[in-house]
Each structure stands twice: as structure tokens, then as C-alpha cells.
Amino acid sequence: MEQVRRTSLADQAAGLLLARIRSGEWELGAKLPGETTLAPQLGVGRSTVREAIRQLAGRGVLQSRQGAGVFVTALDASEDWDLILRRADISAVIEARIAIEGEAAALAAERRTPADLRAMRRALERRQEQRVAIEEHVDTDMAFHRSIIAASHNEILAGLFDDFVPRLREAMVEMLRIRGHFGDDADHDAHVWMLDAIVARDADTARALSRAHLRSLQQGLT
């Protein structure tokens, strides 16, 4: 049976365990053998097995249940999210924005508070002031869209957007450089109408305007 040969023992042990899971040795929901069994199979100590299990648990592949053992919760590890975002093209980034921000706008229309409205209006004013330099415009644009997501009061959508921000900012700067123009009155009006729909508690219109705005960005790539 293959054993660890190089220096990153925990990483390699995790890799070998993952390879065995991928090969079908253990099915979804199956219980792994104990550390005393796995350690000699992998050629490492029990502490290294424990660290390898922690790594795979952190990636969603294994789950340690106190008093019961370690169980398979996924048959493969998802690819690193940051790496996926770095490789994503601009169109894919905008598609993800449509999915996140369309629903966030609808929820914001239903749930916004007076404090949310003040924050969105301030963000829109700052966005309007930054219509010359690309990077400043992108930063204020993202701040406005983030204020809408905050008004949705959905922590999952907010977390997704925040994880997305570095690649999103990079993609939007790149896109605007390709287009060569940005921040015109029509673009600003689209954001004003979006906020107006949220103020009016019109969830359907807020969703539609958000999606239409982002789709227009996507179409501008072709």
C-alpha cells in the first residue's frame, strides 16, 4: 500500500486519504478505520493522521463525531474558492453577480430600514461623485451594491459578496478598461431607479432592474 515519502507529512497523508475516498474505498457516510489502523497504512504517526483528518474535515470531506468516529461527508474536496475566482473570466463573474445581487435587491426592498435607506443614499451620492477615475468609480460602485446587499439582511448573501470582492473588483476594473467609457448619465440613472424600487418596497422591480443592469454589463463584453 502506498505510503508517505516526503516531508509535508500531514498534507501528504490527507492527499492519500482523499485519493482512497475518491477511488471508492469508503462510501458516503462510511466510517473510517481508527488512527491505529490508518497510521501504519500511511506510514505516519497517529498525530499526523489526526492532522490529516482535520485538514479534510476543514474541506468538508470528513466529519469527526465525538464518541462515534470519523465519517465521510463528501466524495471529493471542492477546489479552493480563491483559486476559482482568480481563474474566472469576466462574464462568469457578472453571472455570479446577477444571481447574488438580483435576489439581494428584492430582499432589500422587503426588509430595508430607515438606516439602510440612508446608507444606500450616501453610497449612491459617493458613486455619482466618482465618474472620472476607473478604480475610484469601481470602488464606490461596489460600495453602493454592497449597501443593497446589507439591506437584504441576509448574512449568506453578504458573505458570498464579501468573499467575491477581490476578484469582482479586478474584473470590473478590467472590463471598464476594455470598454473605455463608464459612469455616464444612463448608468447612474439605472442605479437611481434601482434604489427607487427599494424605497417603494417593490421587490419584483428591484430584482428586475438589478438583473437588467448587470446583464447590460455582460452584453457589453461581446
Side-chain angles (χ1 to χ4, degrees), residues 122-149:
R122 285 195 300 270
L124 186 60
E125 289 172 2
R126 288 192 291 269
R127 184 186 187 279
Q128 185 178 18
E129 293 166 359
Q130 297 293 339
R131 298 166 70 175
V132 177
I134 289 178
E135 294 196 357
E136 287 79 359
H137 179 73
V138 168
D139 287 340
T140 54
D141 177 72
M142 288 174 57
F144 172 69
H145 288 279
R146 181 60 175 80
S147 73
I148 293 176
I149 291 173

PDB file of all heavy atoms in Angstrom, residues 122-149:
ATOM      1  N   ARG A 122     -26.332  57.567   0.730  1.00  0.00           N
ATOM      2  CA  ARG A 122     -24.970  58.095   0.847  1.00  0.00           C
ATOM      3  C   ARG A 122     -24.033  57.401  -0.141  1.00  0.00           C
ATOM      4  O   ARG A 122     -23.210  58.052  -0.790  1.00  0.00           O
ATOM      5  CB  ARG A 122     -24.453  57.915   2.282  1.00  0.00           C
ATOM      6  CG  ARG A 122     -25.046  58.887   3.296  1.00  0.00           C
ATOM      7  CD  ARG A 122     -24.230  58.885   4.582  1.00  0.00           C
ATOM      8  NE  ARG A 122     -24.187  57.558   5.199  1.00  0.00           N
ATOM      9  CZ  ARG A 122     -25.053  57.113   6.090  1.00  0.00           C
ATOM     10  NH1 ARG A 122     -26.059  57.905   6.480  1.00  0.00           N
ATOM     11  NH2 ARG A 122     -24.925  55.922   6.618  1.00  0.00           N
ATOM     12  N   ALA A 123     -24.175  56.087  -0.252  1.00  0.00           N
ATOM     13  CA  ALA A 123     -23.313  55.324  -1.170  1.00  0.00           C
ATOM     14  C   ALA A 123     -23.570  55.735  -2.615  1.00  0.00           C
ATOM     15  O   ALA A 123     -22.628  55.828  -3.423  1.00  0.00           O
ATOM     16  CB  ALA A 123     -23.554  53.829  -0.986  1.00  0.00           C
ATOM     17  N   LEU A 124     -24.834  55.995  -2.962  1.00  0.00           N
ATOM     18  CA  LEU A 124     -25.147  56.409  -4.333  1.00  0.00           C
ATOM     19  C   LEU A 124     -24.589  57.796  -4.620  1.00  0.00           C
ATOM     20  O   LEU A 124     -24.089  58.064  -5.723  1.00  0.00           O
ATOM     21  CB  LEU A 124     -26.666  56.392  -4.543  1.00  0.00           C
ATOM     22  CG  LEU A 124     -27.130  56.670  -5.978  1.00  0.00           C
ATOM     23  CD1 LEU A 124     -26.563  55.636  -6.944  1.00  0.00           C
ATOM     24  CD2 LEU A 124     -28.664  56.669  -6.047  1.00  0.00           C
ATOM     25  N   GLU A 125     -24.635  58.693  -3.639  1.00  0.00           N
ATOM     26  CA  GLU A 125     -24.058  60.027  -3.818  1.00  0.00           C
ATOM     27  C   GLU A 125     -22.554  59.948  -4.052  1.00  0.00           C
ATOM     28  O   GLU A 125     -22.015  60.637  -4.924  1.00  0.00           O
ATOM     29  CB  GLU A 125     -24.357  60.888  -2.587  1.00  0.00           C
ATOM     30  CG  GLU A 125     -25.820  61.301  -2.473  1.00  0.00           C
ATOM     31  CD  GLU A 125     -26.116  61.978  -1.146  1.00  0.00           C
ATOM     32  OE1 GLU A 125     -25.162  62.142  -0.343  1.00  0.00           O
ATOM     33  OE2 GLU A 125     -27.290  62.318  -0.903  1.00  0.00           O
ATOM     34  N   ARG A 126     -21.867  59.111  -3.264  1.00  0.00           N
ATOM     35  CA  ARG A 126     -20.424  58.958  -3.446  1.00  0.00           C
ATOM     36  C   ARG A 126     -20.108  58.352  -4.814  1.00  0.00           C
ATOM     37  O   ARG A 126     -19.130  58.740  -5.466  1.00  0.00           O
ATOM     38  CB  ARG A 126     -19.833  58.100  -2.327  1.00  0.00           C
ATOM     39  CG  ARG A 126     -19.788  58.806  -0.983  1.00  0.00           C
ATOM     40  CD  ARG A 126     -18.941  58.048   0.005  1.00  0.00           C
ATOM     41  NE  ARG A 126     -19.560  56.797   0.409  1.00  0.00           N
ATOM     42  CZ  ARG A 126     -20.364  56.666   1.458  1.00  0.00           C
ATOM     43  NH1 ARG A 126     -20.642  57.719   2.218  1.00  0.00           N
ATOM     44  NH2 ARG A 126     -20.879  55.498   1.766  1.00  0.00           N
ATOM     45  N   ARG A 127     -20.945  57.421  -5.233  1.00  0.00           N
ATOM     46  CA  ARG A 127     -20.746  56.821  -6.560  1.00  0.00           C
ATOM     47  C   ARG A 127     -20.875  57.878  -7.657  1.00  0.00           C
ATOM     48  O   ARG A 127     -20.103  57.892  -8.609  1.00  0.00           O
ATOM     49  CB  ARG A 127     -21.765  55.701  -6.778  1.00  0.00           C
ATOM     50  CG  ARG A 127     -21.585  54.951  -8.085  1.00  0.00           C
ATOM     51  CD  ARG A 127     -22.716  53.948  -8.306  1.00  0.00           C
ATOM     52  NE  ARG A 127     -22.450  53.130  -9.478  1.00  0.00           N
ATOM     53  CZ  ARG A 127     -22.666  53.496 -10.730  1.00  0.00           C
ATOM     54  NH1 ARG A 127     -23.158  54.722 -10.980  1.00  0.00           N
ATOM     55  NH2 ARG A 127     -22.396  52.695 -11.742  1.00  0.00           N
ATOM     56  N   GLN A 128     -21.855  58.756  -7.526  1.00  0.00           N
ATOM     57  CA  GLN A 128     -22.069  59.794  -8.528  1.00  0.00           C
ATOM     58  C   GLN A 128     -20.871  60.744  -8.605  1.00  0.00           C
ATOM     59  O   GLN A 128     -20.525  61.254  -9.685  1.00  0.00           O
ATOM     60  CB  GLN A 128     -23.332  60.588  -8.209  1.00  0.00           C
ATOM     61  CG  GLN A 128     -23.685  61.622  -9.273  1.00  0.00           C
ATOM     62  CD  GLN A 128     -24.962  62.355  -8.952  1.00  0.00           C
ATOM     63  OE1 GLN A 128     -25.424  62.347  -7.809  1.00  0.00           O
ATOM     64  NE2 GLN A 128     -25.556  62.984  -9.951  1.00  0.00           N
ATOM     65  N   GLU A 129     -20.213  60.955  -7.478  1.00  0.00           N
ATOM     66  CA  GLU A 129     -19.082  61.879  -7.442  1.00  0.00           C
ATOM     67  C   GLU A 129     -17.834  61.297  -8.094  1.00  0.00           C
ATOM     68  O   GLU A 129     -16.918  62.053  -8.453  1.00  0.00           O
ATOM     69  CB  GLU A 129     -18.774  62.251  -5.986  1.00  0.00           C
ATOM     70  CG  GLU A 129     -19.870  63.084  -5.324  1.00  0.00           C
ATOM     71  CD  GLU A 129     -19.714  63.146  -3.813  1.00  0.00           C
ATOM     72  OE1 GLU A 129     -18.754  62.510  -3.283  1.00  0.00           O
ATOM     73  OE2 GLU A 129     -20.541  63.800  -3.161  1.00  0.00           O
ATOM     74  N   GLN A 130     -17.774  59.965  -8.222  1.00  0.00           N
ATOM     75  CA  GLN A 130     -16.581  59.312  -8.765  1.00  0.00           C
ATOM     76  C   GLN A 130     -16.884  58.748 -10.153  1.00  0.00           C
ATOM     77  O   GLN A 130     -17.117  57.562 -10.336  1.00  0.00           O
ATOM     78  CB  GLN A 130     -16.115  58.193  -7.828  1.00  0.00           C
ATOM     79  CG  GLN A 130     -15.695  58.666  -6.462  1.00  0.00           C
ATOM     80  CD  GLN A 130     -14.428  59.514  -6.499  1.00  0.00           C
ATOM     81  OE1 GLN A 130     -13.641  59.449  -7.455  1.00  0.00           O
ATOM     82  NE2 GLN A 130     -14.229  60.326  -5.481  1.00  0.00           N
ATOM     83  N   ARG A 131     -16.849  59.619 -11.146  1.00  0.00           N
ATOM     84  CA  ARG A 131     -17.209  59.200 -12.500  1.00  0.00           C
ATOM     85  C   ARG A 131     -16.106  59.510 -13.499  1.00  0.00           C
ATOM     86  O   ARG A 131     -16.338  59.569 -14.701  1.00  0.00           O
ATOM     87  CB  ARG A 131     -18.525  59.866 -12.927  1.00  0.00           C
ATOM     88  CG  ARG A 131     -19.689  59.469 -12.028  1.00  0.00           C
ATOM     89  CD  ARG A 131     -20.914  60.346 -12.191  1.00  0.00           C
ATOM     90  NE  ARG A 131     -21.588  60.153 -13.461  1.00  0.00           N
ATOM     91  CZ  ARG A 131     -22.746  60.735 -13.788  1.00  0.00           C
ATOM     92  NH1 ARG A 131     -23.348  61.545 -12.909  1.00  0.00           N
ATOM     93  NH2 ARG A 131     -23.294  60.532 -14.961  1.00  0.00           N
ATOM     94  N   VAL A 132     -14.865  59.665 -12.973  1.00  0.00           N
ATOM     95  CA  VAL A 132     -13.744  60.001 -13.846  1.00  0.00           C
ATOM     96  C   VAL A 132     -12.675  58.920 -13.813  1.00  0.00           C
ATOM     97  O   VAL A 132     -12.315  58.366 -14.849  1.00  0.00           O
ATOM     98  CB  VAL A 132     -13.131  61.369 -13.454  1.00  0.00           C
ATOM     99  CG1 VAL A 132     -11.922  61.673 -14.326  1.00  0.00           C
ATOM    100  CG2 VAL A 132     -14.174  62.473 -13.574  1.00  0.00           C
ATOM    101  N   ALA A 133     -12.175  58.597 -12.627  1.00  0.00           N
ATOM    102  CA  ALA A 133     -11.116  57.592 -12.488  1.00  0.00           C
ATOM    103  C   ALA A 133     -11.737  56.206 -12.340  1.00  0.00           C
ATOM    104  O   ALA A 133     -12.653  56.010 -11.531  1.00  0.00           O
ATOM    105  CB  ALA A 133     -10.239  57.910 -11.277  1.00  0.00           C
ATOM    106  N   ILE A 134     -11.225  55.241 -13.090  1.00  0.00           N
ATOM    107  CA  ILE A 134     -11.839  53.906 -13.125  1.00  0.00           C
ATOM    108  C   ILE A 134     -11.852  53.243 -11.754  1.00  0.00           C
ATOM    109  O   ILE A 134     -12.897  52.763 -11.291  1.00  0.00           O
ATOM    110  CB  ILE A 134     -11.110  53.003 -14.148  1.00  0.00           C
ATOM    111  CG1 ILE A 134     -11.425  53.451 -15.569  1.00  0.00           C
ATOM    112  CG2 ILE A 134     -11.514  51.533 -13.955  1.00  0.00           C
ATOM    113  CD1 ILE A 134     -10.708  52.655 -16.639  1.00  0.00           C
ATOM    114  N   GLU A 135     -10.709  53.182 -11.093  1.00  0.00           N
ATOM    115  CA  GLU A 135     -10.639  52.429  -9.843  1.00  0.00           C
ATOM    116  C   GLU A 135     -11.510  53.047  -8.762  1.00  0.00           C
ATOM    117  O   GLU A 135     -12.185  52.328  -8.012  1.00  0.00           O
ATOM    118  CB  GLU A 135      -9.186  52.297  -9.380  1.00  0.00           C
ATOM    119  CG  GLU A 135      -8.355  51.444 -10.338  1.00  0.00           C
ATOM    120  CD  GLU A 135      -7.048  50.987  -9.728  1.00  0.00           C
ATOM    121  OE1 GLU A 135      -6.751  51.368  -8.572  1.00  0.00           O
ATOM    122  OE2 GLU A 135      -6.321  50.239 -10.411  1.00  0.00           O
ATOM    123  N   GLU A 136     -11.514  54.381  -8.656  1.00  0.00           N
ATOM    124  CA  GLU A 136     -12.374  55.040  -7.673  1.00  0.00           C
ATOM    125  C   GLU A 136     -13.846  54.813  -8.002  1.00  0.00           C
ATOM    126  O   GLU A 136     -14.673  54.622  -7.101  1.00  0.00           O
ATOM    127  CB  GLU A 136     -12.061  56.538  -7.613  1.00  0.00           C
ATOM    128  CG  GLU A 136     -10.746  56.884  -6.939  1.00  0.00           C
ATOM    129  CD  GLU A 136      -9.541  56.678  -7.836  1.00  0.00           C
ATOM    130  OE1 GLU A 136      -9.715  56.242  -9.004  1.00  0.00           O
ATOM    131  OE2 GLU A 136      -8.418  56.952  -7.375  1.00  0.00           O
ATOM    132  N   HIS A 137     -14.165  54.819  -9.294  1.00  0.00           N
ATOM    133  CA  HIS A 137     -15.549  54.565  -9.695  1.00  0.00           C
ATOM    134  C   HIS A 137     -15.968  53.145  -9.331  1.00  0.00           C
ATOM    135  O   HIS A 137     -17.066  52.933  -8.796  1.00  0.00           O
ATOM    136  CB  HIS A 137     -15.705  54.785 -11.203  1.00  0.00           C
ATOM    137  CG  HIS A 137     -17.095  54.516 -11.701  1.00  0.00           C
ATOM    138  ND1 HIS A 137     -18.147  55.358 -11.455  1.00  0.00           N
ATOM    139  CD2 HIS A 137     -17.600  53.462 -12.415  1.00  0.00           C
ATOM    140  CE1 HIS A 137     -19.252  54.859 -11.993  1.00  0.00           C
ATOM    141  NE2 HIS A 137     -18.940  53.711 -12.584  1.00  0.00           N
ATOM    142  N   VAL A 138     -15.110  52.176  -9.589  1.00  0.00           N
ATOM    143  CA  VAL A 138     -15.426  50.782  -9.254  1.00  0.00           C
ATOM    144  C   VAL A 138     -15.600  50.629  -7.745  1.00  0.00           C
ATOM    145  O   VAL A 138     -16.522  49.958  -7.282  1.00  0.00           O
ATOM    146  CB  VAL A 138     -14.331  49.833  -9.781  1.00  0.00           C
ATOM    147  CG1 VAL A 138     -14.490  48.432  -9.196  1.00  0.00           C
ATOM    148  CG2 VAL A 138     -14.377  49.780 -11.304  1.00  0.00           C
ATOM    149  N   ASP A 139     -14.728  51.252  -6.963  1.00  0.00           N
ATOM    150  CA  ASP A 139     -14.823  51.122  -5.503  1.00  0.00           C
ATOM    151  C   ASP A 139     -16.136  51.689  -4.972  1.00  0.00           C
ATOM    152  O   ASP A 139     -16.788  51.086  -4.114  1.00  0.00           O
ATOM    153  CB  ASP A 139     -13.637  51.830  -4.837  1.00  0.00           C
ATOM    154  CG  ASP A 139     -12.334  51.063  -5.020  1.00  0.00           C
ATOM    155  OD1 ASP A 139     -12.386  49.852  -5.316  1.00  0.00           O
ATOM    156  OD2 ASP A 139     -11.267  51.675  -4.865  1.00  0.00           O
ATOM    157  N   THR A 140     -16.539  52.856  -5.483  1.00  0.00           N
ATOM    158  CA  THR A 140     -17.787  53.444  -4.999  1.00  0.00           C
ATOM    159  C   THR A 140     -19.001  52.687  -5.545  1.00  0.00           C
ATOM    160  O   THR A 140     -20.033  52.593  -4.877  1.00  0.00           O
ATOM    161  CB  THR A 140     -17.875  54.931  -5.360  1.00  0.00           C
ATOM    162  OG1 THR A 140     -17.691  55.102  -6.778  1.00  0.00           O
ATOM    163  CG2 THR A 140     -16.819  55.733  -4.617  1.00  0.00           C
ATOM    164  N   ASP A 141     -18.874  52.136  -6.742  1.00  0.00           N
ATOM    165  CA  ASP A 141     -19.957  51.319  -7.299  1.00  0.00           C
ATOM    166  C   ASP A 141     -20.162  50.068  -6.456  1.00  0.00           C
ATOM    167  O   ASP A 141     -21.291  49.708  -6.103  1.00  0.00           O
ATOM    168  CB  ASP A 141     -19.631  50.939  -8.740  1.00  0.00           C
ATOM    169  CG  ASP A 141     -20.688  50.026  -9.340  1.00  0.00           C
ATOM    170  OD1 ASP A 141     -21.800  50.513  -9.629  1.00  0.00           O
ATOM    171  OD2 ASP A 141     -20.410  48.813  -9.510  1.00  0.00           O
ATOM    172  N   MET A 142     -19.066  49.413  -6.102  1.00  0.00           N
ATOM    173  CA  MET A 142     -19.170  48.212  -5.284  1.00  0.00           C
ATOM    174  C   MET A 142     -19.716  48.537  -3.902  1.00  0.00           C
ATOM    175  O   MET A 142     -20.482  47.758  -3.324  1.00  0.00           O
ATOM    176  CB  MET A 142     -17.803  47.537  -5.185  1.00  0.00           C
ATOM    177  CG  MET A 142     -17.377  46.860  -6.479  1.00  0.00           C
ATOM    178  SD  MET A 142     -15.696  46.217  -6.418  1.00  0.00           S
ATOM    179  CE  MET A 142     -15.811  45.153  -5.009  1.00  0.00           C
ATOM    180  N   ALA A 143     -19.348  49.687  -3.369  1.00  0.00           N
ATOM    181  CA  ALA A 143     -19.867  50.089  -2.059  1.00  0.00           C
ATOM    182  C   ALA A 143     -21.383  50.286  -2.111  1.00  0.00           C
ATOM    183  O   ALA A 143     -22.100  49.927  -1.170  1.00  0.00           O
ATOM    184  CB  ALA A 143     -19.172  51.367  -1.590  1.00  0.00           C
ATOM    185  N   PHE A 144     -21.870  50.853  -3.220  1.00  0.00           N
ATOM    186  CA  PHE A 144     -23.316  51.021  -3.357  1.00  0.00           C
ATOM    187  C   PHE A 144     -24.013  49.667  -3.422  1.00  0.00           C
ATOM    188  O   PHE A 144     -25.009  49.427  -2.722  1.00  0.00           O
ATOM    189  CB  PHE A 144     -23.651  51.838  -4.602  1.00  0.00           C
ATOM    190  CG  PHE A 144     -25.130  51.885  -4.903  1.00  0.00           C
ATOM    191  CD1 PHE A 144     -25.995  52.578  -4.079  1.00  0.00           C
ATOM    192  CD2 PHE A 144     -25.656  51.214  -5.995  1.00  0.00           C
ATOM    193  CE1 PHE A 144     -27.369  52.608  -4.337  1.00  0.00           C
ATOM    194  CE2 PHE A 144     -27.016  51.231  -6.266  1.00  0.00           C
ATOM    195  CZ  PHE A 144     -27.876  51.935  -5.426  1.00  0.00           C
ATOM    196  N   HIS A 145     -23.500  48.767  -4.258  1.00  0.00           N
ATOM    197  CA  HIS A 145     -24.128  47.453  -4.365  1.00  0.00           C
ATOM    198  C   HIS A 145     -24.018  46.689  -3.049  1.00  0.00           C
ATOM    199  O   HIS A 145     -24.946  45.954  -2.674  1.00  0.00           O
ATOM    200  CB  HIS A 145     -23.503  46.672  -5.521  1.00  0.00           C
ATOM    201  CG  HIS A 145     -23.896  47.191  -6.863  1.00  0.00           C
ATOM    202  ND1 HIS A 145     -25.100  46.874  -7.464  1.00  0.00           N
ATOM    203  CD2 HIS A 145     -23.264  48.038  -7.723  1.00  0.00           C
ATOM    204  CE1 HIS A 145     -25.188  47.483  -8.634  1.00  0.00           C
ATOM    205  NE2 HIS A 145     -24.088  48.199  -8.810  1.00  0.00           N
ATOM    206  N   ARG A 146     -22.919  46.884  -2.326  1.00  0.00           N
ATOM    207  CA  ARG A 146     -22.778  46.239  -1.011  1.00  0.00           C
ATOM    208  C   ARG A 146     -23.801  46.791  -0.027  1.00  0.00           C
ATOM    209  O   ARG A 146     -24.314  46.049   0.833  1.00  0.00           O
ATOM    210  CB  ARG A 146     -21.361  46.453  -0.478  1.00  0.00           C
ATOM    211  CG  ARG A 146     -21.103  45.800   0.899  1.00  0.00           C
ATOM    212  CD  ARG A 146     -21.318  44.307   0.836  1.00  0.00           C
ATOM    213  NE  ARG A 146     -20.971  43.625   2.065  1.00  0.00           N
ATOM    214  CZ  ARG A 146     -21.718  43.538   3.162  1.00  0.00           C
ATOM    215  NH1 ARG A 146     -22.903  44.146   3.182  1.00  0.00           N
ATOM    216  NH2 ARG A 146     -21.314  42.876   4.222  1.00  0.00           N
ATOM    217  N   SER A 147     -24.150  48.069  -0.144  1.00  0.00           N
ATOM    218  CA  SER A 147     -25.154  48.647   0.751  1.00  0.00           C
ATOM    219  C   SER A 147     -26.530  48.030   0.502  1.00  0.00           C
ATOM    220  O   SER A 147     -27.328  47.874   1.434  1.00  0.00           O
ATOM    221  CB  SER A 147     -25.209  50.171   0.591  1.00  0.00           C
ATOM    222  OG  SER A 147     -25.817  50.563  -0.640  1.00  0.00           O
ATOM    223  N   ILE A 148     -26.806  47.671  -0.749  1.00  0.00           N
ATOM    224  CA  ILE A 148     -28.065  46.984  -1.060  1.00  0.00           C
ATOM    225  C   ILE A 148     -28.073  45.590  -0.444  1.00  0.00           C
ATOM    226  O   ILE A 148     -29.059  45.148   0.148  1.00  0.00           O
ATOM    227  CB  ILE A 148     -28.278  46.913  -2.584  1.00  0.00           C
ATOM    228  CG1 ILE A 148     -28.512  48.315  -3.158  1.00  0.00           C
ATOM    229  CG2 ILE A 148     -29.461  45.986  -2.925  1.00  0.00           C
ATOM    230  CD1 ILE A 148     -28.639  48.349  -4.671  1.00  0.00           C
ATOM    231  N   ILE A 149     -26.944  44.901  -0.581  1.00  0.00           N
ATOM    232  CA  ILE A 149     -26.868  43.558  -0.001  1.00  0.00           C
ATOM    233  C   ILE A 149     -26.998  43.625   1.514  1.00  0.00           C
ATOM    234  O   ILE A 149     -27.667  42.784   2.129  1.00  0.00           O
ATOM    235  CB  ILE A 149     -25.547  42.878  -0.426  1.00  0.00           C
ATOM    236  CG1 ILE A 149     -25.596  42.586  -1.928  1.00  0.00           C
ATOM    237  CG2 ILE A 149     -25.311  41.593   0.357  1.00  0.00           C
ATOM    238  CD1 ILE A 149     -24.314  42.075  -2.504  1.00  0.00           C
TER     239      ILE A 149
END
